[in-house]
């Protein structure tokens, strides 16, 4: 029993009340059936009476003690059930014994059988394995809240007193008035107390659950590191602010404002000092942001190092002021551990003008402004104003028209020949895209490639160029293998396209469909592309594995050092026009790049050759190839000669007929190849 009690700990006060209910519930029938007859028996001595009473009362108490176990796992074990049965039999035997000894008619044998059964059951309870085994864990239920069975038990206990009274009335026995009154009152008190405890327990559990739910909701909606609301609640705060602005328009020009705040060099801080310092920096930045804005403004964390500030009503001027303040505050070094770390920040700001401004639109405006701030050199705030908005609208219009133009076949290619400097022969052609925009005319790529590069549209555009250029080159080669089989076509690939794995499929697919020899295809990429996207290098390697050659375009405008040339995954280098057309001071640089490129095993091509002097200089430097208006302007495909050199006079405009040969000094003799182009002027 002690063992069971130990295991039943935890439900103490409620369990004691249950014990009391059972004891009272059993005590009344025992009193009426056993004690009262004993008290009225004349021949029993007081000692006999006391001993006879002690047995059943003891059993009642023991049975009561068993009750608290019933709601627990241990109470459901076979051992406990056997123990309960044993105590029940013992009670029956004791009651029989006491009442029989008080009367004259004794059948001791029968009573002894019941005693024996009780002992045997007790023994079985003690020996059963479940007596020592740990109870299987079950979802714990508070002991104070009665289950269905216990509730039925409590209701039954309340009926004991009226039940006994009714039995006495029906059987015509002597009424035990006071005993019934006392038992009924005690029972009512006990049951009410018991229910009161249960109610208290239920409401305390409900309170606990509510606070737990609130805690979990806070944790889910707040960033653990900075304590700021995370993305979802921040966007919700923006929605609420906009809704309130639309619902309660004000006469003044104050509107809901938004700041997108992005730390500039956070990745470098993380890499250099470790994530611990990075976290400190984020916390510091969050604190400064919070301190800068009003209490009714919202500061949240949108992503790794990006914060969102939703400003209550502000004028355009106030928005600009807050944005500038944020830049100043977060540009000052942030304390992290025992050091101060300077990260710097860029801010994109936008005001919710117009009734229909949605959270998404405002967020996108802020994003565009943020991108402008980053492009503009970081460490600055850009506010979406009328000029920027107009520019964005124009860009959106160009993008939409370009999507349509690409599908409608408005894009065309021009081909600019590349010449070998030593002999002057054409080694290949660079494919350059143009847009024949209806109502506008021939649009140069500088006016639409940057727009296309803002989205994956540029990948579609590049893909079209790949298909068209390989098809054209394969057609030329098939028509005149002698002239074209040794020539290449060079296609410009944007960084965004090269960063995607699908670029390899696009190139392989274009080669397969056109039947062009992979060695006749050159892909041109700018050097910054290799620095910006780590995947670009892998994809370039995969393209070279197909047999395609790679050329680094506009070399010298990026950050590749001459020492890094050796590691470039490329076959050729196109020296940027600025070096070729440069001053005398640049001549040394040009010589260095040409030599370093060749030393690294790359073929060096000079771009933008416009003057005879430049050509002579490149020859003197032993540069491998050259391309430029002096040699030939980009041609429409039908103007490219079937064989020989593509020719065009320096003054001719692109797209016009090419017929005349350019004469350039070549080691004191003639110039570029002299064979007339049969297809020229077509
Ligand atoms: P890029 O790849 O460096 O192409 C060379 C650019 O220099 C071409 O301009 C060409 O017409 C021009 N050029 C050639 N010789 C001379 C010269 O002697 N003097 C001067 N001033 N310019 C010369 P374009 O065709 O307007 O292309 C501009 C840029 O647009 C290209 O620079 C390339 O980055 C991009 N681009 C052109 N076509 C495509 C394309 O199909 N896909 C992608 N992604 N970009 C392209
Ligand atoms: Mg190029
Ligand atoms: Mg270039």
């Amino acid at each position: 029993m002690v063992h069971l009690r130990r295991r039943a700990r935890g439900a103490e006060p409620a369990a004691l009340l249950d014990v009391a209910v059972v004891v009272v519930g059993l005590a009344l029938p025992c009193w009426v059936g056993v004690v009262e007859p004993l008290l009225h028996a004349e021949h029993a001595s007081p000692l006999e009476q006391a001993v006879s009473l002690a047995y059943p009362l003891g059993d009642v108490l023991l049975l009561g003690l068993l009750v608290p176990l019933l709601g627990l796992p241990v109470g459901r074990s076979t051992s406990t059930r056997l123990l309960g049965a044993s105590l029940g039999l013992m009670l029956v035997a004791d009651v029989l014994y006491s009442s029989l000894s008080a009367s004259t008619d004794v059948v001791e044998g029968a009573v002894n059988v019941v005693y024996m059964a009780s002992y045997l059951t007790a023994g079985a309870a003690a020996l059963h394995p479940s007596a020592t085994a740990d109870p299987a864990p079950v979802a714990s239920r508070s002991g104070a809240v009665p289950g269905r069975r216990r509730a039925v038990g409590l209701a039954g206990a309340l009926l004991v007193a009226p039940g006994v009274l009714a039995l006495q009335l029906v059987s015509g026995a002597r009424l035990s008035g006071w005993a019934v009154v006392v038992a009924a009152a005690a029972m009512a008190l006990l049951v009410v107390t018991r229910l009161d405890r249960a109610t208290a327990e239920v409401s305390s559990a409900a309170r606990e659950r509510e606070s737990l739910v609130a805690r979990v909701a806070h944790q889910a909606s707040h960033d653990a590191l900075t304590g700021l609301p995370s993305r979802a609640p921040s966007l919700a705060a923006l929605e609420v602010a906009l809704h309130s602005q639309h619902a309660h328009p004000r006469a003044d020009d104050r509107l809901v404002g938004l700041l997108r705040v992005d730390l500039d060099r956070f990745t470098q801080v993380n890499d250099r000092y470790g994530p611990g310092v990075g976290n400190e920096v984020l916390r510091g930045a969050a604190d400064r942001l919070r301190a800068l804005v009003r209490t009714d403004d919202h500061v949240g964390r949108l992503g790794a190092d990006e914060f969102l500030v939703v400003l209550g009503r502000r004028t355009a001027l106030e928005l600009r002021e807050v944005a500038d303040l944020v830049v100043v505050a977060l540009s000052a070094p942030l304390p992290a551990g025992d050091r101060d770390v300077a990260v710097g920040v860029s801010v994109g700001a936008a005001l919710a003008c117009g009734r229909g401004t949605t959270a998404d639109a405002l967020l996108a405006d802020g994003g565009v402004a943020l991108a402008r701030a980053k492009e503009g050199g970081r460490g600055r705030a850009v506010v979406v104003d009328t000029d920027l908005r107009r520019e964005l609208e124009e860009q959106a219009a160009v993008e939409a028209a370009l999507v349509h133009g690409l599908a409608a076949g408005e894009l065309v290619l021009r081909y600019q020949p590349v010449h070998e400097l030593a002999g002057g022969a054409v080694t290949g052609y660079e494919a350059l895209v143009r847009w024949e925009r209806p109502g506008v005319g021939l649009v140069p790529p500088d006016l639409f490639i940057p727009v296309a590069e803002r989205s994956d549209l540029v990948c579609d555009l590049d893909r079209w160029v790949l298909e068209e250029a390989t098809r054209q080159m394969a057609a030329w080669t098939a028509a005149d293998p002698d002239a074209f089989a040794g020539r290449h076509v060079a296609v410009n690939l944007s960084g965004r396209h090269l960063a995607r794995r699908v670029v390899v499929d696009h190139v392989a697919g274009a080669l397969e469909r056109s039947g062009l020899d992979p060695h006749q295809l050159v892909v041109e990429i700018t050097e910054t592309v290799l620095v910006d996207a780590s995947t670009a290098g892998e994809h370039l390697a995969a393209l070279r594995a197909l047999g395609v050659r790679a050329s680094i375009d506009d070399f010298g405008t990026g950050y590749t050092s001459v020492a890094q040339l050796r590691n470039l995954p490329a076959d050729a280098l196109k020296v940027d026009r600025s070096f070729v057309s440069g001053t005398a001071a640049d001549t040394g640089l040009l010589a260095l790049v040409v030599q370093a490129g060749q030393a690294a095993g790359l073929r060096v091509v000079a771009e933008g050759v416009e003057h005879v002097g430049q050509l002579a200089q490149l020859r003197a430097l032993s540069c491998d190839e050259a391309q430029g208006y002096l040699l030939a302007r980009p041609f429409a495909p039908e103007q490219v000669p079937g064989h020989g050199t593509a020719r065009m006079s320096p003054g001719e405009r692109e797209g016009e007929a090419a017929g005349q040969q350019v004469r350039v000094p070549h080691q004191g003799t003639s110039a570029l190849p002299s064979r007339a182009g049969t297809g020229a002027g077509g």
Side-chain angles (χ1 to χ4, degrees):
M1 201 64 196
V2 170
H3 179 62
L4 291 177
R5 290 265 316 127
R6 186 162 49 79
R7 295 164 82 176
R9 227 177 272 144
E12 309 277 300
L16 282 178
L17 282 168
D18 286 346
V19 172
V21 168
V22 170
V23 167
V24 173
L26 290 173
L28 180 63
C30 283
W31 179 271
V32 171
V34 180
V35 181
E36 276 193 344
L38 255 176
L39 289 177
H40 293 112
E42 285 132 22
H43 56 272
S45 70
L47 184 66
E48 272 177 338
Q49 286 179 333
V51 170
S52 306
L53 279 177
Y55 283 103
L57 289 183
D59 297 335
V60 165
L61 239 154
L62 279 178
L63 260 175
L65 288 177
L66 206 65
V67 170
L69 298 179
L70 296 179
L72 301 173
V74 69
R76 281 170 222 140
S77 72
T78 313
S79 166
T80 315
R81 282 181 184 148
L82 286 170
L83 192 63
S86 163
L87 287 173
L89 286 168
M90 181 76 77
L91 178 65
V92 171
D94 284 341
V95 168
L96 280 176
Y97 179 81
S98 303
S99 50
L100 289 178
S101 64
S103 74
T104 50
D105 206 17
V106 180
V107 192
E108 275 189 22
V111 177
N112 282 336
V113 168
V114 183
Y115 274 127
M116 279 307 288
S118 165
Y119 297 148
L120 282 174
T121 328
L127 293 175
H128 195 272
S130 63
T132 50
D134 270 339
V138 291
S140 79
R141 199 182 60 217
S142 172
V145 183
R148 179 183 280 267
R149 265 160 60 187
R150 232 176 248 219
V152 170
L154 285 175
L158 276 175
L159 291 175
V160 168
V164 165
L165 198 60
L167 265 177
Q168 287 184 332
L169 284 171
V170 169
S171 64
R174 195 156 48 88
L175 297 182
S176 321
W178 280 112
V180 170
V181 168
V182 169
M187 192 61 92
L189 261 174
L190 284 171
V191 170
V192 168
T193 316
R194 181 69 179 76
L195 290 179
D196 180 56
R197 276 208 69 83
T199 318
E201 176 82 6
V202 166
S203 39
S204 123
R207 271 197 307 277
E208 216 170 276
R209 200 168 47 242
E210 267 168 30
S211 94
L212 193 72
V213 166
R215 233 178 15 243
V216 168
H218 185 271
Q219 275 167 9
S221 65
H222 280 67
D223 165 45
L225 182 69
T226 58
L228 292 178
S230 45
R231 191 178 178 88
S234 297
L235 298 185
L238 179 60
E239 299 262 12
V240 169
L242 287 173
H243 181 77
S244 137
Q245 171 179 310
H246 298 153
H248 312 286
R250 287 181 7 180
D252 61 15
D253 54 354
R254 290 191 154 77
L255 298 159
V256 170
L258 165 141
L259 303 182
R260 288 185 70 164
V261 179
D262 194 282
L263 301 185
D264 282 339
R265 287 177 297 274
F266 183 68
T267 317
Q268 285 96 312
V269 168
N270 251 350
D271 291 348
R272 183 152 171 222
Y273 303 112
V277 170
N279 288 348
E280 288 281 307
V281 165
L282 285 175
R283 265 195 288 267
D287 290 345
R288 278 195 195 164
L289 270 180
R290 249 191 309 238
L292 267 179
V293 297
R294 300 197 302 231
T295 44
D296 58 336
D297 294 331
H298 174 101
V299 180
R301 188 172 171 205
L302 269 196
D305 60 347
E306 189 182 344
F307 301 90
L308 176 75
V309 182
V310 181
L311 301 165
R313 308 298 180 90
R314 298 287 208 287
T315 62
L317 201 67
E318 288 166 348
L319 177 74
R320 152 68 59 199
E321 276 169 12
V322 182
D324 287 341
L325 269 179
V326 168
V327 172
V328 172
L330 295 195
S331 296
L334 289 154
D338 49 1
R339 59 166 66 80
D340 284 348
V341 180
V343 272
V345 70
S346 300
V347 176
L351 216 53
C353 52
R355 261 189 74 79
T357 309
T358 62
D360 279 348
L362 194 57
L363 208 63
D365 280 0
V368 169
L370 178 61
R372 285 292 161 107
K374 296 260 178 202
E375 285 163 18
R378 304 172 179 213
R380 66 192 63 211
V382 169
V383 182
V384 177
D385 55 11
T386 8
D387 286 348
L388 182 55
R389 220 176 269 283
R390 194 181 313 118
E391 196 184 316
L392 292 176
E393 276 162 17
E394 278 166 18
Q395 257 179 21
V398 169
E399 190 177 335
L402 187 57
V403 170
H404 175 263
L406 186 60
E410 289 168 15
L411 295 186
V412 293
L413 287 185
R414 295 288 180 260
Y415 296 87
Q416 186 177 31
V418 182
H419 295 264
E420 193 185 30
L421 272 171
V426 172
T427 57
Y429 306 88
E430 177 173 8
L432 295 161
V433 73
R434 307 284 181 264
W435 180 13
E436 277 181 349
R437 195 174 174 189
V440 179
L442 204 67
V443 184
D446 289 343
L447 294 187
F448 61 90
I449 294 277
V451 176
E453 271 173 340
R454 291 183 178 272
S455 70
D456 280 347
L457 175 58
V458 79
C459 303
D460 298 338
L461 188 148
D462 275 0
R463 194 176 177 197
W464 176 84
V465 174
L466 265 171
E467 293 284 338
E468 178 56 23
T470 49
R471 185 201 61 73
Q472 180 65 77
M473 193 63 191
W476 283 334
T477 307
D480 188 352
D482 289 345
F484 285 91
R487 293 180 188 171
H488 68 261
V489 67
V491 171
N492 293 282
L493 283 188
S494 82
R496 190 188 265 266
H497 194 191
L498 193 70
R500 290 178 51 190
R501 175 78 213 166
V502 75
V503 73
V504 183
D505 300 336
H506 289 170
V507 171
L511 287 171
E512 195 185 317
R513 278 182 283 280
S514 62
L516 187 72
D517 180 348
H519 290 96
Q520 283 184 276
L521 180 63
V522 172
V523 289
E524 291 191 8
I525 49 148
T526 55
E527 53 181 312
T528 41
V529 164
L530 292 176
V531 180
D532 290 349
S534 59
T535 49
E538 287 166 33
H539 301 158
L540 199 59
L543 293 181
R544 294 178 78 208
L546 293 175
V548 173
R549 280 175 290 161
S551 184
I552 307 297
D553 206 353
D554 304 339
F555 186 81
T557 54
Y559 301 100
T560 315
S561 68
V562 168
Q564 285 171 304
L565 279 179
R566 199 173 297 279
N567 304 320
L568 281 181
D571 305 275
L573 202 67
K574 292 188 86 170
V575 186
D576 191 65
R577 200 172 72 219
S578 54
F579 282 82
V580 177
S581 61
T583 58
D586 293 332
T587 312
L589 266 181
L590 179 63
L592 180 71
V593 172
V594 172
Q595 276 168 22
Q598 287 172 341
L602 302 170
R603 243 181 122 67
V604 180
V605 185
E607 285 189 294
V609 181
E610 292 179 343
H611 304 295
V612 174
Q614 293 166 351
L615 196 66
Q617 185 188 36
L618 288 165
R619 278 199 174 121
L621 292 174
S622 301
C623 183
D624 299 297
E625 292 171 27
Q627 177 182 352
Y629 292 168
L630 175 73
L631 306 169
R633 285 196 174 240
F635 290 90
E638 59 276 11
Q639 295 168 325
V640 171
H643 55 81
T645 316
R647 295 163 299 116
M648 176 179 260
S649 71
E652 259 180 323
R653 293 193 61 79
E654 171 183 322
E656 289 172 359
Q660 295 149 22
Q661 184 178 333
V662 184
R663 301 196 69 85
V664 286
H666 174 56
Q667 288 163 356
T669 59
S670 72
L672 291 165
S674 59
R675 276 178 18 179
T678 53

